[in-house]
Amino acid sequence: MYRYLGEILTRGAGSVLASAESAMPTTASLLRLRGYSQVSEKGDDDPNFFTMVEGFFDRGAAIVEDQLVQNLKTRESLEQKRKRVRGILRIIKPCNHVLSVSFPIRRDNGEWEVIEAYRAQHSQHRTPCKGGIRYSMEVSMDEVKALASLMTYKCAVVDVPFGGAKAGVKINPKKYSDNELEKITRRFTIELSKKGFIGPGIDVPAPDMSTGEREMSWIADTFSNTMGHYDINANACVTGKPISQGGIHGRISATGRGVFHGIENFINEASYMSQVGLTPGFQDKTFVIQGFGNVGLHTMRYLHRYGAKCVGVGEMDGNIWNANGINPKELEDYKLANGTIVGFPNSTPYEGSILEADCDILIPAASEKQLTKANAHRVKAKIVAEGANGPTTPEADRIFMERNILVIPDLYLNAGGVTVSYFEWLKNLNHVSYGRLTFKYERDSNYHLLMSVQESLERKFGKHRGAIPIVPTSDFQARVAGASEKDIVHSGLAFTMERSARQIMRAANRYDLGLDLRTAAYVNAIEKVFKVCSDSGLIFT
């Protein structure tokens, strides 16, 4: 059935479709109408990024449409229901708003420069909108629209009540001083404020490529002292801030930790591992990471901690390899000292593409469209874990399905960042850190519990040989003092990723999708977004 699925989705073969109608409620003509099959059938190996995301949406929408029609509890005819469903799906798909701005800055040498920047809001089915700000010369309107739409579905997959958004500033941050970067960041914040594209209940940015706590702190300070001057919740206008500015413990490592939990949920599932020819669990598994930035570093750290072995790491300036394993802390220290991973001791340069290296798990954590028709046939990994946004083109995705390679999709796997951003946003709105109100009560309750057990045993057996000692286990001892903010964040993230993985698995089983987790994730997201849009009603139409 798995290979059947590839036929149905990409080629629309009539005979295959006829035999699979009961298991797959879709038609080739509907897929072709909605655009996905056109992207795949043209064999385009470098599709427009936004079109690529829309294509994946169309594939999921075509599969789930009949079920959405069936679930509508209205007095309309079947034809009217289908028109309503298709209409709402058409409403969900496009980007609602895109802001393009140009503004001048004066550089340290006295020269003037005009900066281009964009902010896209894909959906306001839930507010505020949420999405990162990246600094890159590759930024374009198409890219921010694609990433904004991906954020909508990503938030839906992990049940975070935000709409999707994304921003990009078209600069190479390495060519600007800290003073110039601060000018650019603060001016961009003002431009967003003037157009109503930032605010705790409107649109909440976060860190992305080449941005971090520092930039988020500048944004929060700028907004709080201008448009948000009278708003008590002004600091909630952005997440990913330093702790001193209302940030949350665990945000920096959140995306990488989420990638780890996402892989964990599927690698421990025997039914999926048997299909790709691996044993469950991390032990004896090797992995390769493309991109040793924030996501790559923390993913590597957690996988290493739980028994997997990193044999290769790739960056723009070179790749390294060690079949015996690479220590993440040593590599992090080396990169901080030297500015590169090239030349790392106890490793050898890896000639060729690191994406095609021999390993069990491949983690592309760099940029979009890295896995294409040109290299998908040479990928040796059994699991592709998408730490980056959009690293796999539709053609490569089809090849991976045909080769029985398990692709854990980006809209689920790298959602750890937005999940913990949600926790930070709630913290800012509540104006109290997690655990502060309950920390002492929990600690005292745990000690009273131990004392109660001891007294009960002594009443039962007596104290002829002295007091009966109650020795807690090491795990309980670590928790006896109560949950810190970091404990709560880590626990909430692990629960979110596990629950979302189960939802994706159930969707895959319900629609008989086999290893096609991407479509299962989109189906899951579409069902949730559709429910919100349908229940809220359509106004002014």
Side-chain angles (χ1 to χ4, degrees), residues 9 26 30-31 34-37 39 49-65 68 85-94 122-123 146 149-150 152-154 156 394 397 411 518-530 533:
L9 293 179
T26 186
L30 184 56
L31 282 167
R34 294 186 175 177
Y36 176 75
S37 60
V39 173
F49 191 14
F50 186 48
T51 304
M52 190 172 97
V53 176
E54 285 189 321
F56 289 133
F57 172 88
D58 288 342
R59 183 165 70 179
I63 289 172
V64 77
E65 182 183 292
L68 295 177
V85 167
R86 290 185 180 178
I88 293 175
L89 291 175
R90 281 196 294 270
I91 291 169
I92 293 171
K93 194 166 87 165
H122 175 259
S123 175
S149 61
L150 204 55
T152 294
Y153 312 131
K154 189 182 299 185
D397 198 52
L411 73 160
R518 188 188 311 282
T519 300
Y522 271 96
V523 163
N524 184 32
I526 291 167
E527 288 176 334
K528 294 174 182 177
V529 177
F530 179 90
C533 294

Side-chain angles (χ1 to χ4, degrees), residues 133-136 138 143 166 173 207-212 366-368:
I133 296 179
R134 58 175 51 187
Y135 291 174
S136 168
E138 304 302 316
E143 183 185 60
K166 207 72 176 184
D208 198 83
M209 187 186 299
S210 298
T211 58
S367 57
E368 61 267 12

